[in-house]
Each structure stands twice: as C-alpha cells, then as structure tokens.
Amino acid sequence: MRRVLMIALATAAIGISSTAAQATTLQQCTSGASCVSGTTNVNLGDFDNSALVTGTVGSAGPTVNFTSTNGLLDTNSGAATIFRSDGQDLTQLTFTLLSGSFTSAEFNLLQGSDSTISITLTAVGGTTSTFDVVNPTGSNVFDIIAPSGEAYTSASFSTTGGGFETFKQLRLVLSPGISVPEPATWAMMLLGFGGIGMAMRRRRKADGRLLQIA
C-alpha cells in the first residue's frame, strides 16, 4: 500500500512540473460571447478597501481568492466586479483557486485611462506571456485556455503603460473530477450518509445482542 501511495505522489509531482512548464495563453472571443463551454460563475462577497477578496465557484464550489499589490480592492457583488476603491486603475491582480484546478478562465475587462493595455499573464510555474488588449469595453469576453492535458490554479495580471478600471464576471471551467454540486445533490448525499450511519448503528446493536446470547 505504501508503495502505491509513493507512486501516486511521484506521478502527481510530474504532473505539477509539466503544468509549470506551459505558458499561459489569452484570447479574445471574436463573437463577444463565450468561447468555451462548461463555465461556472465565480460569485463574489461584499468587500471595501480590502487587501483580499474572496468568492466561490457556483453556490457551493471551491473558494477563489483575489489579491492585488495595489490594495484597496472593492467589489460590486451583484455584477461580480472588482475595482479599486480610490478610483485609480488596477495595474496588478491575481486570482487563485484554493482547491482543484481549472482548464479555462473567462472574464471581462473595462479599460482605464489608456485604450491599449499590455497585460502580462503569469502561469503557476512562473512562465509569462504578454498580450496587448485594445479598447476593452467591459462587455468583451477574454479567455485563458490551458493546453490539452494541462490545468492551472491561478493567473496573475500586471500591466505596463496603463491599467484597467474593472475586472468582472470571472467564470471557470473546472478540471475533470472537480464538480460543483447542486443543492439537490448535497441533499441526496446527506441523506445517503445518514442512512449509512443508521445502518451501522443497527448492525452494532445486533452484534451486541448476539454476543450476549452467546
């Protein structure tokens, strides 16, 4: 059993190294709508002048943390929007999925003082890719898409020569095996666990009676 666990850990380490070696990619959806299927919204809480903003994937999925070297993060939770509470442009933002990984991340940007924003995306292993984004209106859709067989846990944005006013409506495609349970699914799971517990208690009582008879 110990040997099996060691092999599994070694395989996981190889997978992490492979993920780190891949460069992040960014594309803008030409149709103005989603480029990928299977996305789930990241819902934000209410924050003001915060160094950390948190959200959840769907209603009961993994937690997503948002941080910025700019600080002073503010949110409009109803529109799933992050911006600076002092009215200045964001020049750096990182979001991190705390459990599991994602194969695609979809989001909208609204330009700040400059019409062209140079955005550097940083992959998990530190490799970077830089893209120029022109006139993001807040209704465009951008996608970070992992190469086949790879996945990410975070993405960092840093800009030069300008910033972006808002980052909003983050949607993730979670890696296989990380699903977001629906409320009905949670209810069925709880009922199932309860039934298993009752069956185990009845079996213990029955075993106890047999021992007394013996």
Side-chain angles (χ1 to χ4, degrees):
M1 182 65 180
R2 183 176 297 176
R3 182 175 296 177
V4 173
L5 288 173
M6 292 299 292
I7 292 172
L9 287 171
T11 303
I14 292 171
I16 291 171
S17 298
S18 175
T19 298
Q22 298 292 332
T24 310
T25 57
L26 173 70
Q27 70 180 44
Q28 182 175 354
C29 302
T30 55
S31 64
S34 177
C35 295
V36 295
S37 59
T39 59
T40 303
N41 293 335
V42 175
N43 300 311
L44 302 179
D46 291 316
F47 296 88
D48 187 17
N49 294 331
S50 178
L52 172 67
V53 168
T54 61
T56 57
V57 182
S59 58
T63 298
V64 180
N65 279 355
F66 298 83
T67 57
S68 175
T69 56
N70 301 140
L72 303 175
L73 293 179
D74 202 347
T75 62
N76 179 344
S77 58
T81 302
I82 296 176
F83 51 94
R84 284 178 60 169
S85 57
D86 61 0
Q88 301 298 309
D89 290 344
L90 282 162
T91 60
Q92 195 281 330
L93 185 69
T94 298
F95 68 83
T96 304
L97 185 66
L98 298 191
S99 61
S101 58
F102 60 90
T103 56
S104 296
E106 197 166 72
F107 53 89
N108 295 357
L109 295 172
L110 175 62
Q111 73 181 50
S113 54
D114 291 338
S115 59
T116 301
I117 307 168
S118 293
I119 296 181
T120 300
L121 301 179
T122 304
V124 177
T127 56
T128 61
S129 300
T130 301
F131 305 84
D132 285 338
V133 176
V134 181
N135 295 323
T137 64
S139 59
N140 352 56
V141 176
F142 296 92
D143 281 280
I144 301 169
I145 300 177
S148 178
E150 303 297 339
Y152 302 128
T153 59
S154 67
S156 294
F157 302 75
S158 60
T159 68
T160 57
F164 49 98
E165 185 175 323
T166 62
F167 175 93
K168 65 179 184 177
Q169 296 175 350
L170 177 63
R171 298 170 290 276
L172 299 179
V173 178
L174 298 178
S175 300
I178 304 293
S179 60
V180 181
E182 296 295 329
T185 304
W186 281 112
M188 291 297 292
M189 289 172 62
L190 291 173
L191 286 172
F193 289 140
I196 292 170
M198 290 178 64
M200 291 178 67
R201 283 195 295 272
R202 289 176 180 172
R203 182 171 181 178
R204 289 196 198 100
K205 290 180 180 178
D207 291 342
R209 284 195 296 268
L210 288 173
L211 287 173
Q212 289 175 1
I213 294 172

